Amino acid sequence: GAQVQHRAATSSIQTQWTMAMERSYIMIKPDGVQRGLVGEIISRFEKRGYKLAAMKLKQADEDLLKEHYRDLASKPFFPKLMGYMLSGPVVCMCWEGKDVVAQGRKMLGATNPLESAPGTIRGDFSLDVGRNICHGSDSVDSGKRESELWFSPAEIVDNESALKDWIYE
Ligand code: ADP
């Protein structure tokens, strides 16, 4: 009896954990890398309780960025955005956890840094929309799409966090 109950409780925790899984593609843009904000940004996601599933430093190319920003192709600022994103390497990350897409956007702040609250990454470290330091997926679907665009399946690691029972009830 007790054994079975224990197993059932464990499996329900694991089910909750699996259901809580959501991925956001977070990318530190060339200005964030050059300004030495990589550790600071990683640290904020770590401390919040999110789990790193993939990470690399990469010089993006035009094709990849055109696919990433495909919804913005017709915007007047698109050529400037391409130049900005090609100006140096970016840090690509995939973060996992409860509500990470919406919370990640809150942690980043508004697109225009002047509208970002202090305490957010953009609100603490940037001033111009064309130098706004980091990217975060804007929906659960784009979190999946962007993670799969920037990372191969083998680069996304599915390890279990030793801290999960201290972060999730
Ligand atoms: P977000 O990155 O907050 O999701 P968007 O998807 O609307 O915002 O835009 C993508 C990126 O394009 C922004 O993060 C910013 O770097 C750049 N951008 C957006 N609007 C402008 C603008 N009006 N002028 C210059 N760059 C812009």
Side-chain angles (χ1 to χ4, degrees), residues 31-168:
D31 51 334
V33 175
Q34 294 302 323
R35 290 180 54 195
L37 294 170
V38 173
E40 169 75 35
I41 293 167
I42 291 173
S43 194
R44 289 184 180 211
F45 279 87
E46 277 183 333
K47 286 176 186 166
R48 184 73 196 264
Y50 290 119
K51 193 187 68 139
L52 191 58
M55 179 166 71
K56 64 186 170 189
L57 180 73
K58 184 182 173 72
Q59 174 62 55
D61 62 39
E62 217 173 309
D63 287 347
L64 188 55
L65 287 167
K66 277 186 177 153
E67 182 56 29
H68 176 79
Y69 282 129
R70 63 182 184 189
D71 296 341
L72 300 177
S74 62
K75 300 280 184 192
F77 60 82
F78 190 73
K80 246 179 38 177
L81 175 59
M82 286 289 111
Y84 166 40
M85 294 302 296
L86 288 166
S87 67
V90 295
V91 171
C92 315
M93 297 179 285
C94 184
W95 286 92
E96 253 175 37
K98 198 173 192 173
D99 216 14
V100 64
V101 169
Q103 292 306 321
R105 295 283 290 189
K106 280 193 196 169
M107 289 164 70
L108 259 58
T111 302
N112 184 346
L114 289 184
E115 286 156 20
S116 302
T120 64
I121 293 164
R122 288 164 174 170
D124 284 348
F125 301 117
S126 64
L127 294 170
D128 263 353
V129 70
R131 296 288 185 273
N132 64 356
I133 295 192
C134 51
H135 165 83
S137 305
D138 66 1
S139 68
V140 175
D141 277 355
S142 61
K144 181 172 154 55
R145 181 184 84 88
E146 292 168 2
S147 296
E148 289 169 4
L149 175 64
W150 289 85
F151 290 107
S152 69
E155 287 177 314
I156 303 177
V157 179
D158 198 16
N159 71 317
E160 191 178 276
S161 167
L163 293 178
K164 74 177 169 61
D165 292 339
W166 297 105
I167 291 167
Y168 295 94

